[in-house]
Amino acid sequence: MVRENVWGPAARVRGMGTSVFTEMTELARSTGAVNLGQGVPELDGPAPLLREVADAVLAGGNQYPPAHGFPALREAVAAHQRRRYGLDYTPQGEVLVTTGATEALAAALLALCDPGDEVIAFDPCYDAYPAGARLAGAHLVPVPLAEDTTGRATGFVLDADALRSAVTPRTRVLLLNTPHNPTGKVFTADELAAVAEVCREHDLTVVTDEVYEHLVYDGGEHRTIAALPGMRERTLTISSAGKTFNVTGWKVGWVCGPADLVAAVGSAKQFLTYASGTPYQEALARALGGVEAWAAELRTTLRRNRDVLSEGLARAGLRPYRAEAGYFVQADIRAWGHADGVRFCRELPLRAGVVAIPTSAFQLRPDAPSYLVRFSFCKREKSVAEAVEKLVSAV
Ligand SMILES: *Cc1c(COP(=O)(O)O)cnc(C)c1O
């Protein structure tokens, strides 16, 4: 067969195009609207951590770090998992430092999936999951989270039957995300036990994305599935400094798991970036030991923002969902006469001077609800208050 001599993108990236995030960020810029779209913190990281990075740069920490990450950071990550979750990982071989959680996710999917394999993820999900599966030639199978109306505000819960019926002989990986983006859901102990049971029964490998592990509000608790019986040996746990320390531009993440799985991820990772972030790794190795004090402070700020935003959305008639963790609140836009989140978000900057992201950017099923919109509150208090004022007066 003669290949047509016209350049075109390869199938694995065709149609990925520019995302709705780019479009909404551009709309925020061109209209001057308050940007509650992308989850980029307006607040800075802890001052001592920033100074340590500056010092590390000036002290000459500017060349390649070890491929698996600085030993001190791998030790700090292992100590963190032991202290918080009672899980023991050997810093040498069971912890791998990556270029953000994003690279850890991509490298894990490339390392675990053959073309044609299936990856299960809960829908809605972070947009890097379907993209990562596709780069690996795998097929992402979405399992809807169910709406739960038993609380004061609607939330999302696991539908264990839907999960069970999504498993096929080709399923290799279950991609879990708790606390969850874009819903703000935290998987409960019972839900994790149900997920773990399915994974053990069908011999699935779990990749769990826990980048919001420190940002659970109202005294709630983040639990990791790797700590459940029979799960450590089949689970890769991913986290990152970005969300925890308000330093999303640094792109330092890590993955913990059994040595054979981590080695496979390392094989892919070494040819994606090899290694990165020398001064950041050096500084984070010291900061991670004291993360609890910093995170408590950050949670106080974010919880206050969440409350102001949720109450404001309710006053504006945009029914907010429960946000137990993370950076985001889901809102139901139907009371504004809209059923389509994409159109709503395109009009919102002009109608109300606020930018949000349609939840459809995270949905994979054609029958997913189209009336959900995601507002982010990882912003200055002033920005959240201003957005609320604008939304309320636009009704
Ligand atoms: C922000 C985010 C990431 C990306 O983390 P980086 O460390 O910046 O690569 C991964 N997963 C989820 C759910 C996120 O919200």
Side-chain angles (χ1 to χ4, degrees):
M1 203 176 84
V2 181
R3 192 174 180 214
E4 243 185 283
N5 195 18
V6 178
W7 183 87
R12 71 176 70 85
V13 298
R14 210 171 293 147
M16 280 186 184
T18 47
S19 69
V20 67
F21 298 95
T22 312
E23 183 188 345
M24 292 304 152
T25 302
E26 175 51 28
L27 256 181
R29 202 198 52 76
S30 62
T31 62
V34 184
N35 192 352
L36 303 190
Q38 217 179 355
V40 183
E42 279 182 357
L43 304 158
D44 214 341
L49 176 62
L50 307 184
R51 264 192 304 275
E52 290 220 28
V53 170
D55 291 345
V57 169
L58 295 173
N62 301 303
Q63 309 310 328
Y64 296 128
H68 283 201
F70 268 108
L73 180 54
R74 283 188 269 126
E75 278 160 26
V77 169
H80 177 273
Q81 297 307 98
R82 190 178 315 119
R83 180 171 83 237
R84 297 193 61 78
Y85 310 118
L87 284 166
D88 272 306
Y89 293 102
T90 310
Q92 182 66 40
E94 294 190 317
V95 180
L96 172 70
V97 178
T98 57
T99 303
T102 305
E103 188 194 37
L105 285 160
L109 292 170
L110 289 168
L112 297 173
C113 297
D114 281 315
D117 283 346
E118 292 174 2
V119 175
I120 288 177
F122 294 104
D123 190 15
C125 69
Y126 189 57
D127 59 343
Y129 303 170
R134 186 166 160 188
L135 292 178
H139 177 57
L140 195 136
V141 177
V143 172
L145 290 170
E147 291 205 5
D148 163 41
T149 52
T150 56
R152 212 158 53 87
T154 304
F156 292 90
V157 287
L158 171 73
D159 179 346
D161 293 334
L163 172 58
R164 269 181 198 288
S165 58
V167 179
T168 77
R170 299 249 38 183
T171 311
R172 291 287 287 270
V173 172
L174 183 134
L175 201 39
L176 181 66
N177 173 212
T178 184
H180 185 259
N181 175 7
T183 66
K185 169 185 175 51
V186 178
F187 279 73
T188 65
D190 287 348
E191 287 176 327
L192 289 181
V195 172
E197 193 183 315
V198 172
C199 294
R200 284 189 305 259
E201 199 174 304
H202 296 278
D203 200 20
L204 307 183
T205 301
V206 177
V207 175
T208 177
D209 175 349
E210 307 190 349
V211 300
Y212 298 102
E213 63 186 317
H214 287 284
L215 305 181
V216 181
Y217 313 123
D218 313 316
E221 192 185 341
H222 165 68
R223 294 178 175 83
T224 185
I225 197 166
L228 298 186
M231 294 308 291
R232 186 197 182 281
E233 63 257 38
R234 61 174 71 251
T235 302
L236 287 166
T237 304
I238 293 171
S239 194
S240 150
K243 309 292 161 58
T244 297
F245 289 104
N246 274 348
V247 291
T248 56
W250 289 8
K251 284 289 184 178
V252 178
W254 45 84
V255 48
C256 299
D260 53 345
L261 291 181
V262 170
V265 178
S267 300
K269 182 256 180 320
Q270 70 183 322
F271 295 116
L272 292 172
T273 59
Y274 180 66
S276 64
T278 297
Y280 306 116
Q281 288 196 33
E282 289 181 357
L284 285 164
R286 282 186 286 275
L288 204 55
V291 65
E292 281 83 5
W294 157 260
E297 215 177 292
L298 178 58
R299 275 196 302 274
T300 304
T301 309
L302 289 174
R303 186 194 41 77
R304 202 181 303 129
N305 282 352
R306 179 208 59 183
D307 291 345
V308 170
L309 177 60
S310 299
E311 283 157 25
L313 288 168
R315 262 192 291 141
L318 296 168
R319 192 168 63 86
Y321 283 50
R322 223 158 55 219
E324 301 161 338
Y327 276 2
F328 309 106
V329 175
Q330 292 290 325
D332 177 342
I333 59 174
R334 285 175 292 184
W336 278 29
H338 270 276
D340 176 12
V342 176
R343 274 189 54 195
F344 176 89
C345 288
R346 285 192 175 129
E347 291 175 23
L348 194 63
L350 294 174
R351 181 168 172 184
V354 174
V355 164
I357 300 284
T359 301
S360 60
F362 307 91
Q363 290 165 329
L364 303 164
R365 293 163 308 128
D367 60 339
S370 58
Y371 51 80
L372 292 175
V373 163
R374 191 194 79 170
F375 289 85
S376 106
F377 55 83
C378 56
K379 308 294 174 185
R380 286 188 206 94
E381 233 169 61
K382 191 169 137 287
S383 306
V384 177
E386 197 183 329
V388 162
E389 201 176 298
K390 285 171 182 283
L391 287 169
V392 169
S393 56
V395 181

